[in-house]
């Protein structure tokens, strides 16, 4: 049978690597199951300017490589594979990797752990019109992160909920023009957010109603979008510097369904509000959650990393209590 690890961390974004660094420095020799696409969301971007201490900014993939090496340096082990299933109903916890096991047969790869930190992050929903290749080069899913790059530029926001309003309000401080493209003839955002956008910034924020972005174009950077009216199917090609997609996020919690409590949008629930001893603990004692897989509000690299540190300290202290 496999050795039982003290801590296994699932996920390798800022939350996972920060947790790994702390648990490694506490001599817990954590194993990071980093996923096939290690490094998380910052691997999809170019310059990160809001990572504290990096005065000149740092490229997202470089930052993640540095975090990975720092965790390794202190003894974290890293396996770049996806977790496909977990069994948190028994101790030690079971974490399964690899393909689907043969019917009735044992799974191909199993790891055992006394404590687990779930840091599988979230993914921004995309339009799926080819915009992903322009991520970090004209396409963004985070105005708080990227709005300052669009000073005096023409920007578009896609969406109609509170998140889209927040993106528009973050952009309006920098951009020359902010145009919201929305599929319906009214927003579903809260009234107060709508008022801030439509009334307080009527001079700079415009809306194209009943419309969707049906295409994108550009060489290295995004330069044009095709906006289609969903009622008349009329299309127009518009020049653009920045396209901000705010149609929602999907937490990576599929494999935890039935194992851990999730909220109605699928985010992992932790005991944060309970002010218990271990605020990052999930519904299963000994399983902790951190980063964007829990946090649908702040969604920043530095908040995810801080959250990872909290989970690592909670896991460490919880393990100490187990004796
Ligand atoms: C394009 C873009 C630009 C951004 N720019 C900035 C910025 O400038 N500044 C900023 O602060 N924030 C930025 N963000 C937000 C920031 O990247 C996230 O808030 C942060 O990465 C969240 O970290 P995390 O560790 O919680 O999760 P993630 O970064 O999402 O990492 C989760 C990891 O878990 C892995 N994983 C998922 N499922 C499994 C599984 N089953 N098994 C194993 N591994 C799994 C994934 O492969 C991934 O590596 C940006 C986001 C995007 C998309």
């Amino acid at each position: 049978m496999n050795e039982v690890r003290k801590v296994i961390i699932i996920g390798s974004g800022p939350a996972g690597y920060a947790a790994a660094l702390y648990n490694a420095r506490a001599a817990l020799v954590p194993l990071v199951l980093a996923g096939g696409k290690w490094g998380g969301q910052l691997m999809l971007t170019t310059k990160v300017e809001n990572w504290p201490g990096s005065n000149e900014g740092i490229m997202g993939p470089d930052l993640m490589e540095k975090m990975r090496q720092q965790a390794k340096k202190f003894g974290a082990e890293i396996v770049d594979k996806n977790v496909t299933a977990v069994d948190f109903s028994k101790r030690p916890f079971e974490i399964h990797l690899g393909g689907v096991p043969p019917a009735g047969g044992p799974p191909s790869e199993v790891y055992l752990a006394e404590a687990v930190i779930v840091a599988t992050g979230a993914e921004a929903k995309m339009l799926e019109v080819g915009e992903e290749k322009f991520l970090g080069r004209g396409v963004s899913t985070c105005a708080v992160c990227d709005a300052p790059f669009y000073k005096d530029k023409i920007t578009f926001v896609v969406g109609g909920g509170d998140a889209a309003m927040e993106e528009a309000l973050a952009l309006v401080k920098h951009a020359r023009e902010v145009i919201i493209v929305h599929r319906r003839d009214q927003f579903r955002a809260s009234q107060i957010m709508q008022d801030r956008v439509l009334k307080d910034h009527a001079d700079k924020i415009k809306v194209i109603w009943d419309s969707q972005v049906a295409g994108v174009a550009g060489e290295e950077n995004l330069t044009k979008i095709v906006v289609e009216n969903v009622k008349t199917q009329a299309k127009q090609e518009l020049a653009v510097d920045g396209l901000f997609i705010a149609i929602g996020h999907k937490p990576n919690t599929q494999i935890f369904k039935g194992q851990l409590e999730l909220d109605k949008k699928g985010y992992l629930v932790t005991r944060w509000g309970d002010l218990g001893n271990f605020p990052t603990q999930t519904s299963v004692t000994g399983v902790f959650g951190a980063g964007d897989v829990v946090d649908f509000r702040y969604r920043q690299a530095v908040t995810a990393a801080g959250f990872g540190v909290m989970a690592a300290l909670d896991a460490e202290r919880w393990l100490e209590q187990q004796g």
Side-chain angles (χ1 to χ4, degrees), residues 238-260:
L238 299 169
V240 58
D241 297 304
L243 176 66
F244 287 74
I245 299 165
I247 55 173
H249 279 75
K250 190 172 85 54
N252 296 319
T253 50
Q254 200 66 25
I255 55 171
F256 305 112
K257 273 187 187 155
Q259 297 280 333
L260 297 173

Side-chain angles (χ1 to χ4, degrees), residues 299-323:
R299 292 199 294 248
Q300 297 298 296
V302 68
T303 51
F307 210 151
V309 171
M310 291 189 276
L313 292 173
D314 281 354
E316 184 187 340
R317 287 173 192 156
W318 179 79
L319 284 166
E320 277 165 13
Q321 280 186 8
Q322 307 310 297

Side-chain angles (χ1 to χ4, degrees), residues 221-238:
N221 294 316
L222 176 75
T223 51
K224 286 198 178 112
I225 56 172
V226 176
V227 175
E228 178 185 30
N229 184 297
V230 293
K231 289 187 174 157
T232 64
Q233 273 72 54
K235 289 184 180 167
Q236 51 179 330
E237 201 176 74
L238 299 169

Side-chain angles (χ1 to χ4, degrees), residues 10-17 33-42 44-51 64 81-84 97 119-124 135-136 139-142 145-146 149 249 252 255-256 290-293 298-305:
I10 309 176
S12 59
Y17 284 150
L33 299 173
K37 290 187 203 158
W38 66 264
Q41 296 171 61
L42 286 186
L44 302 174
T45 195
T46 48
K47 203 171 189 182
V48 176
E49 284 193 329
N50 55 7
W51 183 257
M64 296 320 298
K81 288 187 183 171
N82 281 323
V83 172
T84 51
L97 305 195
T120 47
E123 284 164 24
L135 270 169
V139 171
S140 174
T141 55
C142 176
C145 313
D146 295 338
F149 296 126
H249 279 75
N252 296 319
I255 55 171
F256 305 112
D292 285 16
V293 70
Y298 302 108
R299 292 199 294 248
Q300 297 298 296
V302 68
T303 51

Side-chain angles (χ1 to χ4, degrees), residues 9-296:
I9 296 160
I10 309 176
S12 59
Y17 284 150
L21 172 65
Y22 270 64
N23 281 166
R25 293 191 74 245
L28 292 173
V29 197
L31 171 68
V32 182
L33 299 173
K37 290 187 203 158
W38 66 264
Q41 296 171 61
L42 286 186
M43 300 299 278
L44 302 174
T45 195
T46 48
K47 203 171 189 182
V48 176
E49 284 193 329
N50 55 7
W51 183 257
S54 63
N55 291 9
E56 306 305 321
I58 181 164
M59 299 302 275
D62 293 348
L63 177 60
M64 296 320 298
E65 176 64 29
K66 280 174 188 281
M67 281 195 207
R68 182 178 168 96
Q69 293 310 330
Q70 194 180 7
K72 270 189 176 175
K73 175 176 145 188
F74 290 100
E77 282 179 51
I78 301 179
V79 172
D80 293 330
K81 288 187 183 171
N82 281 323
V83 172
T84 51
V86 295
D87 188 347
F88 293 153
S89 67
K90 55 185 170 208
R91 304 268 187 85
F93 301 124
E94 280 185 10
I95 299 175
H96 300 264
L97 305 195
V100 178
S108 49
E109 218 174 333
V110 186
Y111 289 92
L112 305 176
E114 287 176 42
V116 174
I117 296 174
V118 175
T120 47
E123 284 164 24
K125 291 183 189 159
M126 301 304 282
L127 304 170
E128 294 179 9
V129 294
E131 77 280 21
E132 284 196 48
K133 71 174 182 204
F134 294 113
L135 270 169
R137 295 198 315 278
V139 171
S140 174
T141 55
C142 176
V144 171
C145 313
D146 295 338
F149 296 126
Y150 292 90
K151 189 165 167 44
D152 299 327
K153 304 279 187 192
I154 300 171
T155 58
F156 285 76
V157 174
V158 183
D162 278 347
M165 303 302 111
E166 274 172 23
E167 298 288 277
L169 291 169
L171 278 165
V172 80
K173 295 174 195 152
H174 305 276
R176 171 156 40 110
E177 234 180 298
V178 181
I179 302 144
I180 303 175
V181 179
H182 185 46
R183 295 166 64 93
R184 302 198 172 80
D185 58 5
Q186 56 184 12
F187 291 136
R188 61 174 194 289
S190 58
Q191 194 57 49
I192 186 164
M193 294 297 286
Q194 293 196 38
D195 287 349
R196 274 186 209 152
V197 166
L198 299 175
K199 293 188 181 155
D200 300 356
H201 294 284
D203 56 328
K204 239 171 143 182
I205 303 181
K206 305 274 177 277
V207 186
I208 304 181
W209 300 106
D210 295 319
S211 297
Q212 62 186 8
V213 172
V216 293
E219 292 293 322
E220 192 165 340
N221 294 316
L222 176 75
T223 51
K224 286 198 178 112
I225 56 172
V226 176
V227 175
E228 178 185 30
N229 184 297
V230 293
K231 289 187 174 157
T232 64
Q233 273 72 54
K235 289 184 180 167
Q236 51 179 330
E237 201 176 74
L238 299 169
V240 58
D241 297 304
L243 176 66
F244 287 74
I245 299 165
I247 55 173
H249 279 75
K250 190 172 85 54
N252 296 319
T253 50
Q254 200 66 25
I255 55 171
F256 305 112
K257 273 187 187 155
Q259 297 280 333
L260 297 173
E261 185 186 347
L262 307 177
D263 72 9
K264 61 179 189 305
K265 288 193 171 163
Y267 284 88
L268 189 56
V269 174
T270 57
R271 298 179 56 207
W272 192 249
D274 295 355
L275 297 177
N277 283 339
F278 304 113
T280 63
Q281 187 171 287
T282 64
S283 54
V284 173
T285 306
V287 179
F288 303 86
D292 285 16
V293 70
V294 180
D295 168 28
F296 49 84

